[in-house]
Amino acid sequence: MTGGAAPGPDGAPRCPWGFSTPDYMPYHDEEWGRPVHGDDALFERLCLEAFQSGLSWITILRRREGFRRAFAGFRIAAVAAFTDADRERLLADEGIIRNRAKVDATLANARVLEGWEPGELDRLIWSHAPDPANRPAPRTLADVPAVTPESTALAKALKQRGIRFVGPTTAYALMQACGLVNDHLAGCVARAPHQAPTAPANPAAKSPAPATA
């Protein structure tokens, strides 16, 4: 899929992937590319992008509520307190991706992040947002990169702080999903409502458990 924005089922132009399956449309229209702040909310996105590695995003999206139930709403403090019994429960949970390395990385990352200052994950991730003025709207999917210097730097910064299972490609997918960049195609109905990246109103606050999508 390399074309530009095209009419969706309702006639509105969208990124072609955004209506390739009905499950994608709400995510594309209402969530993907919109700024996300809060340590717990960003932890969720970081975990889901890591679980997506080597798989299609739709596989993760369709299991998202299963992931949220399994990982206590991705509250960092709760996941950091998971025991060996919780690990075994996760590896037997058919509602998530039962990949041992990814499960172990999620638990390890929560324990690392539990030791950070409130808002520290938010600030670290958003410090790598590129200047939107230097990023013209992509006209086709072929114009959307998979890796950028900023995502490479973000992956390196996270790894240096002890975060596992995040590379430059995963970091860029995180940046796209959380609104650090706006990669909706020119003409896409979901592009215009997006705001330029902004600092959180209260960077010291951790977010509550993610709301149900």
Side-chain angles (χ1 to χ4, degrees):
M1 225 183 287
T2 58
D10 58 0
R14 288 179 174 82
C15 305
W17 67 267
F19 58 90
S20 59
T21 173
D23 295 310
Y24 266 148
M25 280 188 59
Y27 177 71
H28 169 273
D29 290 3
E30 301 166 14
E31 186 171 357
W32 191 77
R34 303 209 179 201
V36 174
H37 286 289
D39 291 344
D40 291 340
L42 288 166
F43 175 61
E44 176 190 7
R45 290 0 182 249
L46 183 64
C47 293
L48 293 180
E49 294 297 346
F51 272 100
Q52 186 270 335
S53 179
L55 303 170
S56 65
W57 177 246
I58 196 63
T59 300
I60 303 302
L61 193 60
R62 288 171 174 164
R63 289 171 170 77
R64 191 173 187 181
E65 292 310 316
F67 274 107
R68 285 173 167 171
R69 287 190 295 271
F71 286 100
F74 288 102
R75 298 188 306 276
I76 292 171
V79 179
F82 277 13
T83 64
D84 288 344
D86 288 306
R87 177 178 180 272
E88 294 308 309
R89 168 181 60 81
L90 292 167
L91 292 174
D93 191 335
E94 295 182 357
I96 66 171
I97 303 299
R98 295 175 292 172
N99 180 290
R100 190 175 301 273
K102 294 176 182 180
V103 167
D104 286 346
T106 300
L107 302 185
N109 289 345
R111 290 164 188 149
V112 169
L113 292 170
E114 177 64 5
W116 292 19
E117 293 295 323
E120 194 169 351
L121 178 62
D122 191 307
R123 291 190 294 272
L124 175 61
I125 289 175
W126 277 88
S127 70
H128 291 81
D131 183 351
N134 297 328
R135 291 182 56 86
R139 302 198 64 82
T140 72
L141 294 179
D143 298 327
V144 178
V147 176
T148 65
E150 292 87 0
S151 75
T152 300
L154 174 57
K156 181 178 180 180
L158 289 168
K159 286 181 178 179
Q160 287 177 336
R161 298 293 304 275
I163 301 302
R164 294 162 50 182
F165 227 102
V166 56
T169 301
T170 297
Y172 191 67
L174 176 73
M175 293 171 72
Q176 291 175 305
C178 295
L180 280 75
V181 297
N182 183 352
D183 275 346
H184 283 285
L185 302 182
C188 174
V189 69
R191 183 175 178 85
H194 291 204
Q195 301 298 313
T198 57
N202 182 6
K206 285 190 178 183
S207 70
T212 300

